[in-house]
């Protein structure tokens, strides 16, 4: 049974920082790209950041320069450091494991998902 568990969400003021963590269990994910998605009320789920099996990274335009994704294959974990947070970053954040080694933008190419963690940025 594959499980992804996110943690680290919460309420933060504009300009603050949070670090999300995703712990994976049930299999080893070092050979797969992983991503952090978010979904705000009334909006589609979007890829915020992704990291390939080799460590190459992708960032959505809205978070470039503010968010950093990283992975620790030995611990089967992926992280999302979020700095300079804005109210528009408010959403439920999900980690996911992709089908490929590379980062893929489309959510349909991700097979395993966590339950999500709420991030709320107050103005």
């Amino acid at each position: 049974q594959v499980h992804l568990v996110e943690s680290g969400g919460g309420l933060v003021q504009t300009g603050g920082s949070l670090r999300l963590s995703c712990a994976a269990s049930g299999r080893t994910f070092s050979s797969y790209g992983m991503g952090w998605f978010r979904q705000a009320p009334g909006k589609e789920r979007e890829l915020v950041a992704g990291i390939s099996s080799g460590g190459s990274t992708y960032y959505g335009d809205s978070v470039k320069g503010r968010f950093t994704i990283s992975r620790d294959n030995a611990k089967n974990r992926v992280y999302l450091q979020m700095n300079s947070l804005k109210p528009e970053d408010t959403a439920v954040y999900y980690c996911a494991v992709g089908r490929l080694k590379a980062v893929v933008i489309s959510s349909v190419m991700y097979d395993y998902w966590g339950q999500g963690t709420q991030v709320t940025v107050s103005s």
Side-chain angles (χ1 to χ4, degrees):
Q1 189 83 10
V2 174
H3 281 286
L4 299 176
V5 179
E6 301 98 336
S7 60
L11 174 64
V12 65
Q13 292 185 332
T14 296
S17 297
L18 286 172
R19 187 186 191 220
L20 305 184
S21 177
C22 174
S25 62
R27 61 179 290 185
T28 300
F29 295 107
S30 59
S31 298
Y32 300 93
M34 298 187 73
W36 282 98
F37 288 77
R38 68 185 179 190
Q39 187 165 21
K43 295 188 176 182
E44 292 187 357
R45 189 170 296 190
E46 64 170 346
L47 179 64
V48 173
I51 186 165
S52 72
S53 61
S56 298
T57 57
Y58 162 88
Y59 297 96
D61 287 342
S62 62
V63 306
K64 281 181 182 176
R66 300 188 297 123
F67 290 12
T68 303
I69 188 171
S70 60
R71 65 190 298 165
D72 185 335
N73 289 332
K75 295 182 178 179
N76 234 15
R77 286 180 177 260
V78 64
Y79 305 97
L80 185 67
Q81 177 67 43
M82 305 186 295
N83 298 327
S84 302
L85 283 161
K86 305 175 181 180
E88 50 264 43
D89 294 318
T90 295
V92 177
Y93 284 70
Y94 301 88
C95 72
V97 181
R99 297 178 189 172
L100 307 176
K101 294 180 181 292
V103 176
V104 181
I105 294 176
S106 174
S107 63
V108 301
M109 293 297 290
Y110 290 79
D111 289 329
Y112 302 105
W113 294 82
Q115 83 289 348
T117 185
Q118 176 70 47
V119 171
T120 303
V121 185
S122 63
S123 57

